[in-house]
Amino acid sequence: MTSALSTHEVLNSNDAMCEILILLPPETIYKLILVSKRWLEIIASPCFRHTYLAKWKPNFELIGFFVCSSMYLGRRIDGTRRPRAEPSLPLLSTSSIGDEIESSGILKKLGYYIDSADGLLLCGRHPKAYYLWDPSTQKQQQLPRPRVHFEELCMSLISEDSPDQGFSYKVVRAECVAFPVNSTKVKVETFSSKTSTWSYSELICLEPLSLSPWTPGRVIKGVVYWHARGGKIAIYDSNSEEKRIDVIKLPKTYDYDEQVLGETDDGSLQYGWSNKSVMEVWKLEKVGNVLEWNLLFKVNFKAMWKMNQAVATRFSTWTKETQLLALFNQKSDLVYIRCDTQIFIYHTETKRVEVVQYQGRKSTLVWDFNKVVPYFRRTWPCSPLFENNAMMIDTPQCNASSAGSN
């Protein structure tokens, strides 16, 4: 009788249920939202989501690859316009979710790809219209029109998840000046979902700085990394009250064919480059108070294909150029490479290559003039763009101490 009463009390205690549910792996926990409305409220609460992610490393699913072209962004002096037959937002789908996104027709309404974060997609038509689209809720939101006009710019999407306030996001627009006269200022405009407004600021750098326009950056824990002219990376902490932007030199000269940014499994910045013969991937680490680049691995493409002769023969890679395509999300031992229209995964530990199957009009794409960007979504827990208010009523206050008991 005492045991039955104890079990009954546990099942009716939100705090106790949180302690139990946090112990379950991601592949199990998401199924339990179907048990009851109360379990749905517990699992869907921002507090539980935040505590759960502090204990369990999130998993990401590859939805596909967006093909990004900067040829039609902004106001072109030469009057170049996108042909009607050419899609503004091509997606090379690698999943059923990607197939559904393509068939829904939503990509025709969003404009051009700009950035993504945890599956949340930022698109638009410079310089006036920007949209956020969430694959989890199938909903979109148009941002208010920016107050400041930048002729050329780079943009980043920052997602935030607070145990108290739930999910929020910021969109950062930074001006790119083509020929700065030793300028140490960077003009920035930031939209916050918390205030629903744009705010303008000027960031100060200790040395002259010019950001590279229309190039994808990388956001790690609220810190934005942008490519800058002169073989540099600009670093902007959006959570800091200091209006400052720092700069670090890339580990090698910057005139390589391909350059990509990524995030390691421990939350550090990765930088990769490749030319016709080799690729290298570096990691940015803090040693004392100094940021330093450390080489993770270097791969000779010719030697790589010799070790994978079956794949090389099947796709005739011997006569085609290979290049680094992208880095995995929060993984350091896997990278995407491209040879002609084929995409592969290279495993740095086993040195093996496997082909990535995708759907899309690969034959119509001008690969050499486009940037191919992987589109990931966090499998669970996802952070919806529009929270369901009904799910937020009387949600439990999770005990954050359980997050440390891994």
Side-chain angles (χ1 to χ4, degrees):
M1 186 69 179
T2 304
S3 175
L5 181 61
S6 176
T7 302
H8 179 76
E9 289 177 343
V10 168
L11 293 176
N12 283 277
S13 169
N14 285 344
D15 287 340
M17 284 304 303
C18 276
E19 296 285 346
I20 295 172
L21 293 173
I22 283 173
L23 299 176
L24 300 178
E27 57 269 21
T28 301
I29 188 69
Y30 81 94
K31 300 177 183 178
L32 299 182
I33 62 175
L34 302 176
V35 173
S36 68
K37 182 178 179 181
R38 177 167 164 267
W39 282 33
L40 169 63
E41 291 175 348
I42 294 175
I43 297 173
S45 69
C47 175
F48 180 85
R49 185 171 64 229
H50 189 270
T51 307
Y52 191 89
L53 287 177
K55 176 178 176 63
W56 294 92
K57 184 179 178 181
N59 295 320
F60 294 89
E61 176 187 9
L62 177 67
I63 296 178
F65 296 88
F66 279 112
V67 183
C68 314
S69 174
S70 60
M71 293 177 61
Y72 313 116
L73 296 178
R75 299 175 181 175
R76 304 289 298 187
I77 298 177
D78 56 7
T80 303
R81 299 180 66 89
R82 176 177 58 86
R84 288 184 176 273
E86 183 178 334
S88 60
L89 193 57
L91 174 65
L92 307 177
S93 173
T94 60
S95 65
S96 58
I97 297 177
D99 296 341
E100 292 173 4
I101 292 175
E102 274 201 301
S103 61
S104 69
I106 185 64
L107 299 181
K108 297 179 181 179
K109 305 175 183 178
L110 297 178
Y112 299 95
Y113 175 89
I114 299 174
D115 199 6
S116 65
D118 293 335
L120 191 63
L121 191 61
L122 173 63
C123 300
R125 293 178 173 86
H126 295 290
K128 299 178 181 180
Y130 300 107
Y131 304 91
L132 282 166
W133 185 75
D134 182 7
S136 301
T137 60
Q138 299 287 310
K139 294 181 179 180
Q140 72 181 65
Q141 183 181 58
Q142 183 173 358
L143 274 59
R145 183 171 176 173
R147 300 175 180 177
V148 183
H149 173 71
F150 298 144
E151 194 67 34
E152 290 193 319
L153 68 159
C154 52
M155 295 182 63
S156 289
L157 173 62
I158 304 171
S159 63
E160 301 173 328
D161 203 352
S162 166
D164 301 320
Q165 301 179 2
F167 178 72
S168 62
Y169 63 87
K170 290 186 288 190
V171 176
V172 184
R173 306 169 69 242
E175 183 182 32
C176 301
V177 182
F179 301 102
V181 185
N182 294 326
S183 175
T184 58
K185 292 184 179 180
V186 176
K187 297 178 181 179
V188 169
E189 193 177 22
T190 304
F191 176 83
S192 172
S193 63
K194 295 178 181 179
T195 61
S196 298
T197 58
W198 291 93
S199 60
Y200 172 82
S201 59
E202 293 186 358
L203 308 179
I204 304 298
C205 186
L206 296 179
E207 59 181 85
L209 175 66
S210 177
L211 300 177
S212 300
W214 317 119
T215 55
R218 187 72 188 184
V219 177
I220 302 176
K221 298 178 181 177
V223 179
V224 185
Y225 299 89
W226 286 311
H227 286 282
R229 290 185 173 92
K232 302 174 183 178
I233 293 292
I235 306 172
Y236 167 50
D237 187 350
S238 64
N239 297 318
S240 175
E241 295 182 358
E242 295 185 53
K243 302 300 181 182
R244 190 184 73 186
I245 188 166
D246 298 317
V247 175
I248 186 170
K249 190 80 174 176
L250 288 172
K252 294 220 173 180
T253 52
Y254 57 94
D255 55 349
Y256 295 105
D257 295 343
E258 293 297 325
Q259 297 182 85
V260 294
L261 298 177
E263 180 182 357
T264 63
D265 49 8
D266 62 357
S268 300
L269 179 69
Q270 282 189 112
Y271 164 71
W273 68 265
S274 73
N275 57 23
K276 294 181 179 180
S277 58
V278 298
M279 70 174 172
E280 289 183 357
V281 174
W282 296 71
K283 176 182 179 181
L284 185 63
E285 296 181 291
K286 195 168 186 178
V287 181
N289 294 323
V290 180
L291 291 173
E292 295 182 356
W293 292 103
N294 291 317
L295 181 64
L296 292 180
F297 59 86
K298 180 177 181 179
V299 178
N300 181 283
F301 288 134
K302 188 175 182 180
M304 178 191 73
W305 289 122
K306 280 186 177 180
M307 293 189 62
N308 296 269
Q309 293 192 20
V311 179
T313 302
R314 178 185 174 188
F315 295 100
S316 304
T317 63
W318 304 110
T319 59
K320 302 170 185 175
E321 181 181 337
T322 304
Q323 60 183 224
L324 175 63
L325 183 70
L327 301 173
F328 264 69
N329 197 28
Q330 297 185 13
K331 282 183 178 291
S332 306
D333 57 344
L334 302 171
V335 296
Y336 291 109
I337 58 176
R338 179 178 74 84
C339 186
D340 196 32
T341 61
Q342 298 296 332
I343 299 176
F344 305 91
I345 297 175
Y346 176 70
H347 299 255
T348 61
E349 293 184 357
T350 63
K351 304 186 186 306
R352 294 301 175 187
V353 174
E354 64 175 284
V355 66
V356 177
Q357 302 291 344
Y358 65 85
Q359 302 291 331
R361 297 187 293 178
K362 60 184 180 181
S363 60
T364 63
L365 300 175
V366 185
W367 288 79
D368 293 337
F369 297 97
N370 292 294
K371 194 76 175 178
V372 181
V373 181
Y375 177 41
F376 293 98
R377 187 186 74 158
R378 195 164 63 190
T379 52
W380 195 93
C382 58
S383 300
L385 175 59
F386 299 98
E387 296 278 11
N388 187 342
N389 292 331
M391 292 165 55
M392 296 296 115
I393 299 175
D394 297 327
T395 51
Q397 298 299 314
C398 298
N399 187 350
S401 63
S402 61
S405 57
N406 193 355

